[in-house]
Amino acid sequence: MKIFLIDRKNYYRFVPSLFFPIPDDPTFSQFHHETLIDGELVNDTESDGEITLKLLTFDLLVIDRKNLMNRPLTSRLGYLKENIIKPYKNMLLKRPELVQTQPFIIDLKQMEFSYGLDKVLDSIPNLRHSSDGLIFTSSIAGYKTGTFEKMLKWKPPNENSIDFLLRYDFQDDEDKPRFCLHKWIANNEHAYYDEMHVTDDEWNETWKHDYKNHEGKIVEVVYDPTMNPHAPWRFLRFRHDKIRGNHQSVVEKIRQSIMDGITEEQLRSQIASIREAWKRRDEEANKPKQLKRPKPEDKSENESRERLENGNKSNKSKRLKYDREDNNENDKKSHRINEDTG
């Protein structure tokens, strides 16, 4: 059995000394196989400055060849907690000598119901790793690959970012180029979208000596037209984990969300209404279903049906009488024929 980490570029990295035991095996000699877990690697900065690598898991797609992707999130999280995380932690508890062999710490990412978003917001400043917002995931939806319309991401308006492919445009004899941002169209095709503003000091101190190595890289930028309305985007960081910018459809959606930005205060103000909506849904789900009583029949309809049935019986008896008479005539005719031929 081997375990691999798979990044968004679909690169596989073998992870030695890592395995996930199945539940209720005190020997820890049987392990999950053909299992797919979703999570993220983060660097936690401890109080003493030490860096701790952690794998925070938040979904389970397949377990022992069993596909869970069509199950609701709550069910998948239950499988993840009971079948993956608990047995793994129990193994390290019972066999502490294995702790030092683990490549990183593994844990379940903390989640809250949507009406508990204030807890999440309050915890962000105390996180030991960077966070760029909140993700709202449907608790009843299955797992979807690619863009999922039922998954919502929130960032403060000033932190809402887009990833672009960076190209330079040197004009005339200018020392500093235009920083051109390109959105992804399809395959390896990108198209010009807008410009990123870089100050002269930033160019001389950070970009100039190494700018050639940055062209064609993916940059994450935020919208800030205050310094230069003609180049309204500001550099945030390089995305070394990506080979393409955001797709043009995603760019437009993020741009719209930036223009219609929701502040943290506005988000917190909706907690009460979100809680009430959860309460109403729970009440509806737990309400006993009433069986529908059959609709009473109209007497006039019954009388009409009886007349029709009686009429059918009368016609049937007449047909039977006619059939018998016809048979008697046929018998007479057959006798006569026989006599003539005899």
Side-chain angles (χ1 to χ4, degrees), residues 132-284:
D132 61 354
L134 307 179
I135 295 179
F136 294 84
T137 307
S138 171
S139 63
I140 61 174
Y143 187 97
K144 303 295 182 183
T145 59
T147 302
F148 185 29
E149 298 296 336
K150 291 186 178 181
M151 181 179 289
L152 304 177
K153 186 171 184 177
W154 173 86
K155 290 183 179 182
N158 62 322
E159 296 180 14
N160 216 336
S161 60
I162 304 180
D163 300 330
F164 291 106
L165 180 76
L166 177 64
R167 296 290 186 193
Y168 300 126
D169 180 21
F170 285 92
Q171 295 182 340
D172 301 329
D173 296 329
E174 291 184 359
D175 180 51
K176 187 177 75 172
R178 292 170 57 229
F179 291 77
C180 301
L181 303 174
H182 292 68
K183 59 186 178 181
W184 178 42
I185 304 300
N187 299 322
N188 292 321
E189 180 185 358
H190 286 74
Y192 173 79
Y193 181 75
D194 211 339
E195 287 187 44
M196 179 178 75
H197 179 66
V198 174
T199 66
D200 291 339
D201 289 342
E202 290 169 341
W203 167 251
N204 291 320
E205 295 174 6
T206 306
W207 291 84
K208 187 175 182 178
H209 69 284
D210 201 26
Y211 74 92
K212 291 182 180 179
N213 292 328
H214 298 323
E215 185 168 18
K217 298 291 181 63
I218 305 300
V219 292
E220 183 177 354
V221 297
V222 293
Y223 185 75
D224 181 10
T226 57
M227 297 186 70
N228 185 349
H230 301 292
W233 300 93
R234 295 284 289 157
F235 175 78
L236 190 62
R237 60 171 173 157
F238 288 105
R239 293 300 302 265
H240 298 294
D241 59 329
K242 300 182 71 173
I243 59 175
R244 300 184 183 92
N246 286 134
H247 189 265
Q248 57 182 345
S249 60
V250 177
V251 169
E252 294 307 321
K253 289 180 180 179
I254 299 177
R255 178 65 181 265
Q256 188 62 45
S257 69
I258 293 173
M259 298 299 105
D260 300 332
I262 299 175
T263 65
E264 181 177 326
E265 291 72 22
Q266 290 174 317
L267 201 59
R268 288 181 184 271
S269 69
Q270 299 301 311
I271 292 176
S273 60
I274 294 173
R275 183 181 288 107
E276 285 300 316
W278 270 91
K279 185 178 179 180
R280 286 195 302 271
R281 284 195 296 268
D282 287 343
E283 290 175 350
E284 287 295 325

Side-chain angles (χ1 to χ4, degrees), residues 61-154:
L61 284 64
V62 181
I63 181 168
D64 300 324
R65 297 186 181 181
K66 183 177 183 179
N67 191 335
L68 305 179
M69 294 177 65
N70 291 328
R71 294 173 180 260
L73 174 64
T74 50
S75 174
R76 302 196 306 271
L77 289 177
Y79 270 93
L80 176 61
K81 182 178 180 180
E82 298 299 326
N83 293 272
I84 303 293
I85 301 301
K86 277 190 176 181
Y88 175 77
K89 288 189 172 184
N90 188 40
M91 178 187 68
L92 297 184
L93 182 65
K94 298 293 180 60
R95 298 184 59 184
E97 71 277 7
L98 295 177
V99 174
Q100 298 300 322
T101 67
Q102 300 305 289
F104 35 70
I105 295 174
I106 299 177
D107 210 341
L108 187 67
K109 189 168 186 176
Q110 183 180 356
M111 301 183 193
E112 297 285 346
F113 290 113
S114 54
Y115 54 78
L117 65 89
D118 55 338
K119 296 180 182 179
V120 182
L121 290 170
D122 292 340
S123 69
I124 290 178
N126 300 320
L127 291 176
R128 295 176 180 176
H129 55 269
S130 60
S131 172
D132 61 354
L134 307 179
I135 295 179
F136 294 84
T137 307
S138 171
S139 63
I140 61 174
Y143 187 97
K144 303 295 182 183
T145 59
T147 302
F148 185 29
E149 298 296 336
K150 291 186 178 181
M151 181 179 289
L152 304 177
K153 186 171 184 177
W154 173 86

Side-chain angles (χ1 to χ4, degrees), residues 53-66:
L53 186 61
K54 289 185 178 181
L55 175 65
L56 300 180
T57 62
F58 48 74
D59 214 328
L60 181 61
L61 284 64
V62 181
I63 181 168
D64 300 324
R65 297 186 181 181
K66 183 177 183 179

Side-chain angles (χ1 to χ4, degrees), residues 308-318:
L308 179 61
E309 290 176 353
N310 292 334
N312 289 337
K313 290 179 180 178
S314 176
N315 292 335
K316 184 176 180 181
S317 63
K318 290 180 181 178

Side-chain angles (χ1 to χ4, degrees), residues 328-341:
N328 290 334
E329 289 296 324
N330 289 334
D331 288 341
K332 292 178 181 179
K333 288 181 181 179
S334 64
H335 285 304
R336 284 197 298 269
I337 294 173
N338 289 336
E339 288 174 356
D340 290 343
T341 58

